[in-house]
Structure formats: C-alpha cells, structure tokens
Amino acid sequence: MLFIQGITDFIQMIAKYYPYFLKGTGNTLLLSFLATLLGFAIGMMLALFRINSSKNFLLKLMRMLSGVYIEIIRGTPLLVQLLLIFSSFKDMSRYTAGVIALSLNSAAYVAEIVRAGIQSVDRGQTEAARSLGMSSLMTYQEIILPQAIKNILPALGNEFIVLIKETAIVSMVGIADLMYSAGIVQSKTYQPIPPLMMAMIIYLILTLTLSKGMKTAERRLHRGDVR
Amino acid sequence: MLDSAMKNQTNQAAGMSYPEKGEVLLSVRNLQKHFGKLHVLRGVSEEIRKGEVVFVIGPSGSGKSTFLRCLNLLEKPESGSIVFEGNELLADDINLDKHRQKIGMVFQHFNLFPHKTVLENITLAPIKLLGLSAAEAEDRADKLLEQIGLTEKKHAYPNTLSGGQKQRIAIARALAMQPDVMLFDEPTSALDPEMVGDVLKLMQELANDGMTMVIVSHEMGFAKNAADRVLFMDEGVIIESGTPAEVFDNPKEERTKNFLSKVL
C-alpha cells in the first residue's frame, strides 16, 4: 500500500515538475555533447604532440608541455579545476566556463587513451605505409588512426560515459543542468529523494543509450576481423 | 600466359623494356649504423645493378636486415651515401617519399593493412600517391591478383588469408606502385613450410621478368637457383660477394665457409 502510494506521488511529482527535468536534461546533453567533442579534439592534439619524436625544438617543447598538462589535469579534482576557471574569468558566461572546464579535463584522459591506441598499432604498419611512399601525415590518416580508434573505442566510450556523469558537477556553479533541476524540484516539494531518483533514471537512460551506440560502432568497425 | 601478363606489367613500369644488366641503380658507400652501443653496419659498400637479383645471406645479427632497411631509409644510417637512380637519399633536402615510391618492400610479417580489403591494400598507394583513378587502380590490382592467383580474395580482409596468401598480396601491393627495385626482408621466414613454395615461385617469376631484387633470406636453395649475385655479411660488413657458384661452391673466406657448413 505504502509502495503504491510512493509510486503515485512520484508520478504526480513528475507530472507537475517535468519542465524542470526536461530543461535540465537538455542542458546536460548540450554540455556533454560540446565537452565530448571539444575534449576529443583537444585530446587528439595532445596525444599527437605527446608521441611526436621530432627533434624540432618547438615540437619537443610541445611534447613536454602536453605531458605536464596531462599530469596536472589527471592529478587534481575536476571540482577544483571548474571553480578555478569559473572564478578566474568573471566575464565569461557560466555555461562557457562549464564547457571549457569539462573539455579541458576530458581532453587529458582522451589524450592518454589515444596515445595508448596509437602505440598499440604495430610498427610494421607504419613501415609498410612509409615504404610505399606515403608521407607521415598520410600514414596517420589512412593507416594508424583508423586502427588506433578501433582499438580504443571501448575505452573512449567509457570516457564519454564518465563525462556525462561528471557534468553533474557544474550544478555547483549554478548551471541549470539535470542535477541543478533536481535541486530546484527538491526545494519546491520539500522531498529530497524522488527528484534525485528521477535524475538518476535520466542519467541512466543517457549513459545506456550511449553505451549501446558505442557497441554498434564497435561492431561495425570490427567487420574486418571475421575469421 | 602468366609470364606474358607479368612482362607487360613490368614493361609498363619502366615505360619501355628493361635495359641490360649493368646500369647502376643503387649505389651504397661506407654505411655506418649503430643501435645504441651496438655497431651494426661497419662500412658497407655495394652496387646494385638494374635487373640484378642479389641475395644477402649471413648469420643472425650480421646486419643484413639493417643493410636492407637502410636502402629505403626505414633505418637511417649515421654516415655514408645511398645513391638511388642518381639521387643521394641521405641529402637533407631530398623528397624521400617520392623515391620510396620506386623502391618496393616486402616484410617478414607481411604488414598488410588489416582494416582494408585486399583490393584496398593494393590500390591505396597508387590512388593516393600516383593519382590513379579508382577504376585504373582496380584494373591494375585485378591484373596483379590474376598473376598471383588470388583473384577470388579481392574483397577479403587480410585476417581471413593464410600466411602465404598474405605475403603474395603484400608483394602485389608493392608491385602496384610499379617500383624499379624490390627489397625482400626474409619474406618466407614467417611462413609455414608448405606456403613457402608459392611465394618463392612468385619471386622467381619476378626475377625472370627482369625485376631488380635485393633479398635477405635463409632460403639457400632458392638463392642458388635465382640469384645473380650473393653477398655474405658478417659483423656489419660484406665479407664476400660473387655468383652463387662462387660463394656457395667455392667460398674464399673462412667465415663464409664456416657459415655455409652450418646451413647447407
């Protein structure tokens, strides 16, 4: 009886406050999407800087700097990074600051994943491509990166899922994401648990959808592996 | 029929029929190479002439693979000179990629591109580097696949092939660039014994058609039959060089005799 009462209350809560959750989910999605995209692009660049073995002074410097960057980001809490960026740039909109903090954070993790992926591709692949006369750039584009991405897709998918969950932290600086909306509904209903349950369900739907999408992508990329 | 198809191919490659052996294609002077403290090449000098089939033999660690890999600069020697078709490959301002297109290479472990089909493996470089249209490149690939007898594997992925098939595809991939010289780095060492014959037969056909070939191999029997010249290397230098008859039947140097007594 009590259980049914709970379910009914829950449904009523959603019926009344769903616009908050909708808006929050939209913002969470947008943030995750932008941060994933930017984080991947920056992470890719960091990875390439990190593995370049050039003797060129500038590239050597970039190799060192990207290494230091990755260590700092991975070695400090996202919350601290977020608050630091948020407080340092007062003129910036909080959304921009949120996207930047999340992207910069994710980039460090993506960089390590991509680096491992590139190094997992057999050296013979590079040698075969170069011996045919391909430039080093073309070798990366055509031979190394497609294989590396395939190898790292599970790890990359995992990182994207982590990122969706981590976006919840931006509610700390007043960005109206899903977590923030749950907070509003909490204070309106004086009920702490149901809004959190709702947020949880929505996060779960988002991450499950993404992980299903990644599985499909993996399957398609592994078509060449049939024995 | 197989031979004539291949002859056509190689004639196209040169834009005319191959000149007689004699013209120097690759000239190497005093190559020096270290791996850390290890002195792998201690002044190797050699000339490879057009149409020549040169075997490089020697004990493991003698530097023969390194020597071969220096010829297209997969390994960069510290000093010396490598002149290919009149161009110094060790010059700073050289467009190495351009010259590598003319130097085909076949590896011990095939190194086919696993994410591409057999057809794509063969056509990728001709399309991207020689500017062939997809249709022209496919045409070229079809002819090569017919020569190596693997037409039915055109749309297969490399992982579905046997070692011998992979190596023949790898040779076709190199040939698709219509190179002036082919380098073979122990092409049969990773193959099951029953696969070796197919690859050697293909190499023999290439040799018959006048392709310039430099081959690092342990297939002494094949070297005796196919080689114009045999180089014996040990400890980073070429100890002895001559026709198969000279080197195999009448070795002059003690180290050559010693090595041959172990492998023959």
Side-chain angles (χ1 to χ4, degrees):
Chain A
M1 212 46 214
L2 213 66
F3 177 70
I4 296 179
Q5 182 64 45
I7 300 270
T8 327
D9 285 353
F10 189 67
I11 293 172
Q12 274 170 357
M13 183 270 298
I14 294 169
K16 193 162 174 200
Y17 295 106
Y18 76 89
Y20 288 99
F21 286 110
L22 220 56
K23 182 158 178 289
T25 307
N27 279 336
T28 288
L29 271 176
L30 187 66
L31 253 140
S32 309
F33 180 72
L34 290 176
T36 302
L37 224 62
L38 267 171
F40 182 69
I42 301 170
M44 199 76 153
M45 261 160 42
L46 282 172
L48 291 177
F49 279 133
R50 191 118 154 78
I51 58 161
N52 92 79
S53 53
S54 166
K55 290 188 174 62
N56 179 299
F57 174 74
L58 203 66
L59 286 173
K60 259 164 90 174
L61 187 71
M62 292 309 289
R63 174 168 69 227
M64 200 201 69
L65 287 180
S66 55
V68 169
Y69 175 85
I70 290 166
E71 291 306 331
I72 290 176
I73 293 288
R74 295 204 309 170
T76 57
L78 172 58
L79 182 58
V80 178
Q81 296 161 16
L82 174 70
L83 290 177
L84 199 64
I85 290 177
F86 188 69
S87 320
S88 307
F89 303 98
K90 285 284 176 209
D91 301 337
M92 200 185 278
S93 89
R94 54 187 73 212
Y95 286 92
T96 315
V99 168
I100 290 178
L102 287 168
S103 315
L104 290 182
N105 180 272
S106 178
Y109 291 92
V110 169
E112 281 301 272
I113 294 171
V114 171
R115 181 181 65 87
I118 288 173
Q119 287 173 345
S120 75
V121 177
D122 188 69
R123 223 167 71 95
Q125 293 289 307
T126 309
E127 292 184 350
R130 298 308 300 273
S131 78
L132 286 165
M134 293 188 209
S135 67
S136 131
L137 184 70
M138 195 185 286
T139 302
Y140 264 99
Q141 280 174 347
E142 296 287 334
I143 307 302
I144 307 301
L145 285 182
Q147 294 183 59
I149 299 282
K150 188 170 103 175
N151 292 347
I152 63 178
L153 214 55
L156 220 46
N158 196 42
E159 168 58 23
F160 295 158
I161 286 169
V162 168
L163 186 59
I164 289 186
K165 296 186 295 177
E166 295 270 78
T167 55
I169 213 165
V170 299
S171 60
M172 296 285 295
V173 295
I175 294 176
D177 76 329
L178 180 52
M179 196 59 206
Y180 189 83
S181 308
I184 292 176
V185 179
Q186 272 180 326
S187 57
K188 285 197 187 269
T189 56
Y190 303 111
Q191 290 208 335
I193 296 175
L196 285 180
M197 295 285 279
M198 188 58 201
M200 213 168 175
I201 291 170
I202 296 176
Y203 277 120
L204 198 59
I205 291 172
L206 295 184
T207 52
L208 285 180
T209 312
L210 181 62
S211 99
K212 184 115 180 62
M214 295 304 281
K215 283 224 172 65
T216 312
E218 266 175 61
R219 249 202 315 278
R220 290 186 50 175
L221 277 171
H222 278 94
R223 267 180 317 196
D225 292 355
V226 215
R227 271 156 225 274
Chain B
M1 138 111 209
L2 213 76
D3 276 0
S4 72
M6 186 106 71
K7 201 149 262 159
N8 244 329
Q9 186 79 23
T10 41
N11 285 351
Q12 278 165 11
M16 47 176 212
S17 59
Y18 269 97
E20 291 301 302
K21 287 170 197 174
E23 195 180 321
V24 174
L25 190 70
L26 247 172
S27 165
V28 172
R29 286 275 157 270
N30 198 23
L31 284 193
Q32 299 279 348
K33 173 77 184 170
H34 287 80
F35 287 128
K37 285 204 172 103
L38 208 64
H39 199 172
V40 251
L41 294 184
R42 303 165 183 253
V44 175
S45 300
E46 189 54 49
E47 278 181 350
I48 311 290
R49 291 164 188 279
K50 227 168 202 167
E52 244 189 339
V53 176
V54 178
F55 270 75
V56 187
I57 61 170
S60 58
S62 58
K64 54 192 192 303
S65 269
T66 307
F67 164 65
L68 190 78
R69 291 160 56 84
C70 277
L71 296 181
N72 66 351
L73 260 60
L74 283 185
E75 304 291 352
K76 200 170 174 0
E78 285 113 29
S79 65
S81 146
I82 303 169
V83 177
F84 173 63
E85 297 184 332
N87 302 289
E88 173 57 64
L89 296 187
L90 291 174
D92 287 332
D93 57 346
I94 190 139
N95 182 352
L96 196 55
D97 295 333
K98 201 81 202 159
H99 294 291
R100 277 184 175 143
Q101 294 176 13
K102 290 277 150 211
I103 308 176
M105 183 144 192
V106 176
F107 300 86
Q108 181 178 0
H109 295 290
F110 331 125
N111 299 345
L112 291 177
F113 306 133
H115 59 304
K116 298 195 178 289
T117 63
V118 164
L119 178 67
E120 289 164 347
N121 263 278
I122 298 175
T123 56
L124 177 68
I127 291 174
K128 294 274 173 190
L129 302 173
L130 302 180
L132 262 61
S133 72
E136 288 167 331
E138 185 167 349
D139 203 44
R140 195 180 275 193
D142 283 341
K143 282 184 188 133
L144 286 164
L145 284 171
E146 200 189 322
Q147 279 167 39
I148 64 175
L150 287 175
T151 303
E152 81 279 8
K153 297 293 182 190
K154 185 173 168 185
H155 298 293
Y157 281 93
N159 281 342
T160 63
L161 305 176
S162 73
Q165 291 171 334
K166 282 184 198 173
Q167 194 61 298
R168 277 140 71 200
I169 301 289
I171 293 173
R173 175 177 69 181
L175 286 176
M177 291 298 286
Q178 302 187 332
D180 293 338
V181 56
M182 290 277 285
L183 312 178
F184 294 83
D185 190 3
E186 305 201 16
T188 57
S189 298
L191 297 179
D192 292 334
E194 74 268 26
M195 308 284 182
V196 171
D198 286 340
V199 172
L200 293 186
K201 184 168 154 271
L202 177 58
M203 289 169 66
Q204 180 71 63
E205 285 167 4
L206 277 179
N208 294 346
D209 284 330
M211 176 60 81
T212 313
M213 297 158 77
V214 185
I215 304 163
V216 170
S217 175
H218 296 291
E219 301 285 342
M220 297 301 161
F222 181 54
K224 270 185 186 170
N225 289 328
D228 294 311
R229 210 147 53 83
V230 177
L231 310 178
F232 174 71
M233 275 186 81
D234 195 16
E235 293 178 353
V237 286
I238 295 174
I239 305 279
E240 191 164 349
S241 157
T243 65
E246 286 166 355
V247 175
F248 285 118
D249 303 334
N250 255 322
K252 292 184 195 65
E253 302 291 330
E254 203 50 46
R255 273 193 275 181
T256 317
K257 284 178 196 163
N258 207 337
F259 172 73
L260 288 173
S261 72
K262 282 179 196 149
V263 296
L264 285 183

